[in-house]
Amino acid sequence: MTAPADLTVVENEAAQARFDDLIAQDSRIEPRDWMPDAYRKTLIRQISQHAHSEIIGMQPESNWISRAPSLKRKAILLAKVQDEAGHGLYLYSAAQTLGIGREEMMQQLIEGRARYSSIFNYTTPTWADMGAIGWLVDGAAICNQVPLCRASYGPYGRAMVRICKEESFHQRQGFEILLELMQGTEAQREMAQDAVNRWYWPSLMMFGPPDDESPNSAQSMAWNIKRFSNDDLRQRFVGMLVPQAEVLGVTLPDPNLAWNEERQAYDMSEIDWTEFHEVLAGRGPANAERLRRRREAHEEGAWVREAAAEYARKQALKQQSAA
Amino acid sequence: MSTPGETGTEAWPLWEVFVRANRGLSHVHVGSLHAPDADMAVRNARDLYTRRNEGVSIWVVPADAVTTSDPDAKGAFFESPAGKNYRHAVYYTKSEGVKHL
């Protein structure tokens, strides 16, 4: 890693100027480049939180793998959950290029010192939740993530390109689940609508607090990590949802949702941010359960990791003595 | 200097992964992963980076075996080609209008 302490003041100024220059040109910062400490810290936090979200995000859906309504749906769900694991791994690798270790990040997560997207602290009581998660949660994620493909930190942007390619399958399969339910029996339609009612607001909260309460946004935008504000992305997402909801035949649970001709955007109700802060503070429906399961999986897998490392060590020794 | 991300202190080393998308193309760097040994690294790379037929061949290289150019040298290391535009075909303009040249 670059050690800023070793640089003289003059060298530091030159390095900062070069960094500023690259950002001004909308170029990319690569792992070996000098970067301000705050930029490095912001990225480590953002990328590792993002990775944790993917890893924890496997849980609400894994709940339905054994109960999927058909073999086809089970195979699709398995592939999707495997993708989430993959996305977590791409992102951990990207974060590591900034100087944090994989094991350190794992520890932060299982000890409850790291955050992940609060959306995964909601439970998935019905099959329709698989549809609503794909359509709304993955939809919001895509909306957030597409601009991140152009994030100024090279490894992050490259990881996001891979992730976005894979996410579009996730959203479409969710839409399809809901569409099939909406074309089914009355009970199935109710199940689909109920899931949409429960996931709509939490998915809008995924974009983060309103712009005037998002203190780090301006700096992230100045560094070209973030390209659009939380409220802009949220607005864009709602604009995409409305016609999709019409195709599905579901109602979005906001009585004040209406097209505003003057603003050329949708008006909507105020978001209940107390709920958001409660879930963020660890008091959501499944916070404790998610962490407990993650910790268990980590601990129960310890013997596999140790055995594999020991096998590799012995094989290497054998090869050495044979040579 | 090895590639970034390898701390040298973790139980499983870091591997850099390269994938050949199709016959006739080079292996291209796609990312990295942790694995206890080379065999497991290849298998993990298959599961992680080729879930959708992205490749027909995989290379894995221990991250600490990769040597990179000195990042602090920045431009200086790559200075030599600067000002040597006669190495490019466009430098030669007198043949303009002459066919097949």
Side-chain angles (χ1 to χ4, degrees), chain A residues 44-63:
Chain A
I44 288 177
R45 196 188 58 232
Q46 180 170 338
I47 301 173
S48 62
Q49 279 179 8
H50 194 161
H52 298 327
S53 302
E54 300 281 357
I55 296 299
I56 296 289
M58 290 191 279
Q59 290 188 31
E61 292 179 303
S62 67
N63 188 34

Side-chain angles (χ1 to χ4, degrees), chain A:
Chain A
M1 285 291 96
T2 35
D6 296 345
L7 300 179
T8 65
V9 176
V10 177
E11 279 169 337
N12 236 329
E13 274 172 14
Q16 174 82 50
R18 187 178 151 73
F19 173 86
D20 293 343
D21 214 36
L22 286 170
I23 296 292
Q25 293 165 26
D26 201 0
S27 182
R28 297 293 177 265
I29 307 299
E30 293 295 343
R32 293 282 182 218
D33 291 333
W34 181 92
M35 60 190 88
D37 275 349
Y39 178 81
R40 187 185 298 277
K41 274 191 197 130
T42 298
L43 280 166
I44 288 177
R45 196 188 58 232
Q46 180 170 338
I47 301 173
S48 62
Q49 279 179 8
H50 194 161
H52 298 327
S53 302
E54 300 281 357
I55 296 299
I56 296 289
M58 290 191 279
Q59 290 188 31
E61 292 179 303
S62 67
N63 188 34
W64 281 92
I65 290 175
S66 61
R67 283 171 270 180
S70 68
L71 193 55
K72 183 183 91 168
R73 289 292 170 198
K74 182 188 282 220
I76 291 172
L77 203 51
L78 273 170
K80 182 171 187 284
V81 172
Q82 191 188 10
D83 274 353
E84 314 292 2
H87 297 175
L89 296 179
Y90 303 154
L91 289 161
Y92 281 132
S93 291
Q96 278 175 269
T97 64
L98 291 156
I100 186 169
R102 178 79 54 106
E103 286 168 16
E104 194 183 338
M105 287 185 277
M106 281 291 154
Q107 276 320 111
Q108 287 179 352
L109 176 61
I110 62 176
E111 285 169 15
R113 287 185 285 128
R115 280 197 169 150
Y116 55 86
S117 179
S118 53
I119 192 84
F120 301 115
N121 290 321
Y122 291 88
T123 55
T124 48
T126 74
W127 169 250
D129 289 329
M130 298 303 97
I133 286 184
W135 179 45
L136 296 172
V137 176
D138 292 317
I142 292 172
C143 210
N144 247 333
Q145 292 172 355
V146 167
L148 288 174
C149 294
R150 293 188 293 124
S152 60
Y153 187 58
Y156 191 28
R158 292 192 284 275
M160 291 316 307
V161 169
R162 299 189 72 85
I163 291 173
C164 285
K165 268 188 205 161
E166 300 181 353
E167 287 285 353
S168 55
F169 132 60
H170 297 182
Q171 195 188 14
R172 282 193 184 196
Q173 66 87 36
F175 186 86
E176 210 182 279
I177 288 174
L178 290 178
L179 192 63
E180 275 180 28
L181 288 173
M182 288 306 289
Q183 290 168 350
T185 64
E186 183 56 32
Q188 286 172 324
R189 281 196 294 277
E190 274 172 26
M191 188 198 276
Q193 182 63 57
D194 167 65
V196 170
N197 291 350
R198 282 182 289 111
W199 289 94
Y200 178 73
W201 288 108
S203 74
L204 294 193
M205 293 179 204
M206 286 173 68
F207 295 94
D211 293 345
D212 49 6
E213 288 168 39
S214 181
N216 302 324
S217 278
Q219 180 61 78
S220 278
M221 286 175 83
W223 276 330
N224 292 343
I225 296 172
K226 208 174 156 70
R227 299 282 178 170
F228 301 98
S229 79
N230 295 352
D231 287 332
D232 284 352
L233 288 170
R234 190 166 13 242
Q235 186 74 55
R236 183 183 299 179
F237 180 55
V238 170
M240 291 192 277
L241 286 186
V242 172
Q244 292 171 358
E246 276 167 25
V247 175
L248 284 174
V250 295
T251 312
L252 297 174
D254 179 359
N256 296 317
L257 187 64
W259 178 251
N260 184 323
E261 190 61 40
E262 200 179 312
R263 289 197 309 122
Q264 287 292 301
Y266 282 92
D267 289 334
M268 47 182 132
S269 303
E270 194 72 28
I271 291 179
D272 178 11
W273 290 107
T274 45
E275 177 186 323
F276 177 78
H277 292 297
E278 280 294 292
V279 180
L280 206 61
R283 292 184 287 274
N287 294 54
E289 164 68 9
R290 298 288 183 247
L291 268 193
R292 184 187 62 76
R293 249 184 96 181
R294 182 69 203 90
R295 202 177 306 119
E296 268 175 20
H298 188 72
E299 283 160 9
E300 284 165 12
W303 71 272
V304 179
R305 293 191 299 275
E306 284 158 19
E310 185 57 15
Y311 177 78
R313 191 186 66 85
K314 284 190 178 157
Q315 289 296 313
L317 278 180
K318 226 184 248 178
Q319 267 186 356
Q320 266 175 15
S321 58

Side-chain angles (χ1 to χ4, degrees), chain B residues 35-98:
Chain B
D37 58 36
D39 284 347
M40 287 300 291
V42 170
R43 281 167 181 273
N44 290 358
R46 176 200 58 191
D47 293 345
L48 188 55
Y49 291 107
T50 62
R51 287 195 302 281
R52 289 175 175 78
N53 293 321
E54 288 95 336
V56 295
S57 166
I58 294 172
W59 286 349
V60 293
V61 181
D64 69 4
V66 176
T67 307
T68 68
S69 52
D70 180 1
D72 295 328
K74 293 272 155 22
F77 189 71
F78 298 101
E79 212 163 71
S80 164
K84 294 179 184 168
N85 48 359
Y86 48 83
R87 290 184 175 184
H88 297 274
V90 288
Y91 175 80
Y92 305 91
T93 53
K94 292 195 175 155
S95 48
E96 246 166 51
V98 182

